[in-house]
Amino acid sequence: MKATEPLTPTRDRRQRKARQTRNALASAAMELILERGLAATTVEAIAERADVARRTFSRYFVGKEDAALDFVRGDGDRINALLRARPAGEPPLLAYRRAVRAWLADQESPAHHLRPRMRRLLTLVDAEPALFAAYERIRVDAQEESIRILAERLGTDDAGDMRPAVVVDAAAGVLTAALRVWARGGEEHDSGAADLAALVERAYDALISEAATAAAEPSSEE
């Protein structure tokens, strides 16, 4: 069995350099797409803006859309890490909601909505099919990991038990809906973290209220 490479100063520097390069490429992709539009933005231009070789881009991303939306992947990873850390006895929906709340409140690893021009980029996602497809791929990958985490918490099989998938699809859908409402608010109405956090809380409250109302109704019509 191959031994795990120990964390050394040299390896740590390599990892920091790799993160910096990835972040530079992602920022360059986002900036150029917002400046020029998706069709007019090339991978070569992104690499040039990030001051790296063209082949370096391909080591990190499969395309310009994935690069511009790398923040979505990072935020998904962060939410899943927070979900994994929730107390074992918490109900799945509550655990997901509180993981999202912690992500939005985290000042050390700020969520993407705190970065400049995120509303514009999220609005563009809905308008550009290629960006939307990349967004959906990244989102689905994150949700699949969330399902696995909840299945482990419940001690069940995510293939045979629908509960993890139902909870994640509903909870992640609430977050997506809140993000869309937030993005359509426009940059001039941007009030940062509190703005989106409040929308997310309202969205989860709406989900819980609707679920309670539906549960109170008879299971079949008279």
Side-chain angles (χ1 to χ4, degrees), residues 64-82:
K64 57 189 178 182
E65 297 86 1
D66 291 280
L69 295 173
D70 195 48
F71 70 88
V72 177
R73 183 177 291 102
D75 286 340
D77 290 344
R78 182 65 179 143
I79 291 170
N80 280 330
L82 290 164

Side-chain angles (χ1 to χ4, degrees), residues 102-194:
W103 162 67
L104 289 170
D106 189 354
Q107 296 302 310
E108 292 185 5
S109 301
H112 65 263
H113 65 284
L114 295 177
R115 302 166 199 160
R117 300 193 289 179
M118 278 298 118
R119 288 185 194 255
R120 285 182 56 199
L121 185 60
L122 287 173
T123 301
L124 191 60
V125 165
D126 282 341
E128 288 282 358
L131 273 176
F132 182 77
Y135 184 90
E136 287 296 290
R137 285 196 305 273
I138 295 168
R139 184 182 63 79
V140 167
D141 285 345
Q143 289 183 209
E144 289 295 328
E145 179 62 18
S146 299
I147 291 169
R148 286 190 288 271
I149 293 168
L150 289 187
E152 289 174 7
R153 288 170 60 90
L154 291 169
T156 188
D157 178 5
D158 61 307
D161 189 336
M162 290 183 62
R163 290 177 298 166
V166 168
V167 168
V168 170
D169 285 351
V174 164
L175 178 58
T176 299
L179 280 167
R180 282 205 169 101
V181 171
W182 177 80
R184 291 168 183 165
E187 296 288 344
E188 67 277 11
H189 299 117
D190 191 2
S191 57

Side-chain angles (χ1 to χ4, degrees), residues 40-55:
T41 298
T42 64
V43 169
E44 288 75 16
I46 293 170
E48 183 178 356
R49 175 71 66 91
D51 196 24
V52 299
R54 166 64 177 82
R55 64 180 179 276

